[in-house]
Amino acid sequence: MNKDTRLYNTINQGVNKPNRVVLKSCIPIVKTFSNVAFPLSVLGCEERCKDWFYSNFINIYSCYNDQILSTNYDVQFFEDEVYYLNRDHIMISNLDMMRAQIIETLISSINKKQYICVFLDEYYIPYSPDYDINHKSHETFIIGYDKNEEVFICLSYGYDGKYKYRILKFENFINAYESKNFNRNLPFLFFSAQASDYRPTYKMDIDLVYDQIEGYINGKDFLYKNKNINNINWNSNNKYGIDVLKDYNLYLSDMLKMKCKNDKLVLTVFYILFEHKRCMQRRLYYLYEKKIIDIKWGDEYGEIVKLSHDILDSAVKYNSSEKKEQKIRNNILNDIIYGIKEIEKLETIILSRLIEAKNKCLFDAGETSYVIKSQLTE
């Protein structure tokens, strides 16, 4: 069984070539949304970030309103300060006033080890689903360039729905950047990993991790405490932690009743469900690596990861079954609803027992550390 605790799937896969300048980057394990995927493409390569990462991305929230389901994590990189990440920005309108030579400006930034999140008119971006169809301002992540080929190397989503390395010609970039339909009040964001001696190493506070896991299984509103600083994501309709699964089933039930405007499932909410469960399992294995819990906790949680992956597969299958009779499509939805309920049941049992074991101090004898035993199979 894979006891993987990496924060990435691949690093710079297939993009390093002679004459190219490409900053170290990865396809991170959390990549459903660009506001998380872009910064983690930088930080996910760094082993030192594990304590910080596994102390976060524990909680998620959802909002189901007007038959639209949305979900996201407890960390919002574009709004929150993040340990180990430098972040600067400049408005595109300011670059216009400075009459900046944009290609040279971006190349100079990359040479300074800065990754760039740029907003562009996707009508001119060949790998975009809106290419040559819709004028839409959306972000891509530039990690390198090749002057000989006159291209930028990017990380971005595309018509295939995948987050991966892509090539963007300077010509296409200029067309997208200079588009009359492009919102020039958007920023360019510049990311970089902080130097190792910039600030103290982040150390995981295990009691805080347990507190967040307990808040997760209790559906605790984790956004409210920061509402006075930033209330962008807080909503009275939100659900938190394990309670987001109730929103999933409300959404799926409305799909069964054909109440939703779109007859296809929103796949991003099922990707994030799988991502979150995989991250939780890797967190448990990471706690095992640190000699804090028994390895069986991660092994037992594997059933939840499998269920979430099966649900994702079923959601994709549902969206490709448009021509099949409604009864077959409804059976797929019912299977997904059943899977969601099984996840809620199993996750409540496993994580509640983990907290209970911690509170009862079920220790394995050790000179410098203790291990919380798994009683799941005893």
Side-chain angles (χ1 to χ4, degrees), residues 165-220:
Y165 294 101
R166 301 180 189 275
I167 300 299
L168 179 60
K169 292 181 180 179
F170 288 172
E171 179 185 1
N172 294 119
F173 175 89
I174 289 295
N175 289 336
Y177 178 73
E178 295 182 348
S179 169
K180 293 180 180 178
N181 300 95
F182 178 47
N183 180 1
R184 309 200 75 77
N185 291 316
L186 292 167
F188 275 15
L189 301 173
F190 300 89
F191 297 137
S192 60
Q194 293 169 354
S196 57
D197 58 354
Y198 177 78
R199 55 168 51 174
T201 302
Y202 186 101
K203 297 293 185 184
M204 176 181 280
D205 182 336
I206 186 59
D207 288 328
L208 179 61
V209 172
Y210 282 128
D211 183 64
Q212 290 187 82
I213 292 175
E214 189 168 13
Y216 171 80
I217 58 178
N218 290 328
K220 183 179 178 181

Side-chain angles (χ1 to χ4, degrees), residues 48 81-86 193-201:
R48 60 181 171 144
E81 180 182 356
V82 176
Y83 218 79
Y84 294 126
L85 186 72
N86 292 319
Q194 293 169 354
S196 57
D197 58 354
Y198 177 78
R199 55 168 51 174
T201 302

Side-chain angles (χ1 to χ4, degrees), residues 213-353:
I213 292 175
E214 189 168 13
Y216 171 80
I217 58 178
N218 290 328
K220 183 179 178 181
D221 179 349
F222 58 85
L223 290 176
Y224 187 81
K225 63 182 179 181
N226 292 326
K227 189 181 174 187
N228 60 314
I229 300 171
N230 179 349
N231 67 352
I232 292 174
N233 302 305
W234 191 88
N235 188 302
S236 59
N237 293 318
N238 283 1
K239 288 190 174 62
Y240 300 90
I242 202 166
D243 286 349
V244 306
L245 298 177
K246 293 180 172 59
D247 269 353
Y248 275 81
N249 277 340
L250 280 173
Y251 169 54
L252 291 163
S253 295
D254 281 347
M255 287 292 291
L256 271 173
K257 298 169 188 173
M258 298 184 181
K259 287 185 177 180
C260 298
K261 298 171 185 175
N262 193 336
D263 65 348
K264 285 193 173 185
L265 293 171
V266 179
L267 291 181
T268 52
V269 299
F270 298 97
Y271 278 113
I272 200 173
L273 180 70
F274 168 65
E275 276 185 355
H276 180 264
K277 304 316 168 194
R278 182 175 57 179
C279 284
M280 186 67 81
Q281 184 186 39
R282 291 194 182 194
R283 179 177 295 105
L284 296 175
Y285 282 140
Y286 187 61
L287 294 179
Y288 162 72
E289 278 186 8
K290 294 173 78 70
K291 297 181 168 50
I292 293 171
I293 65 174
D294 189 277
I295 196 170
K296 288 184 179 179
W297 293 105
D299 291 348
E300 294 289 339
Y301 197 90
E303 179 60 25
I304 295 171
V305 178
K306 182 181 181 302
L307 279 168
S308 66
H309 191 270
D310 290 346
I311 287 169
L312 174 58
D313 284 347
S314 294
V316 172
K317 180 181 176 182
Y318 178 85
N319 280 1
S320 61
S321 65
E322 298 164 282
K323 296 182 180 179
K324 295 188 177 179
E325 60 182 271
Q326 194 59 43
K327 182 179 178 181
I328 294 174
R329 304 191 82 206
N330 287 349
N331 286 340
I332 297 173
L333 289 177
N334 281 316
D335 286 344
I336 296 174
I337 290 172
Y338 175 79
I340 295 284
K341 289 178 179 177
E342 282 296 294
I343 286 177
E344 184 176 13
K345 181 178 73 175
L346 285 174
E347 198 167 40
T348 301
I349 292 171
I350 292 174
L351 296 183
S352 295
R353 287 181 178 175

Side-chain angles (χ1 to χ4, degrees), residues 51-83:
D51 267 25
W52 172 81
F53 179 88
Y54 287 122
S55 297
N56 292 283
F57 296 96
I58 294 171
N59 263 296
I60 54 176
Y61 68 94
S62 64
C63 184
Y64 185 53
N65 193 23
D66 195 26
Q67 284 74 52
I68 298 172
L69 176 63
S70 59
T71 57
N72 216 325
Y73 294 97
D74 51 358
V75 178
Q76 299 296 297
F77 281 97
F78 287 3
E79 289 96 25
D80 300 340
E81 180 182 356
V82 176
Y83 218 79

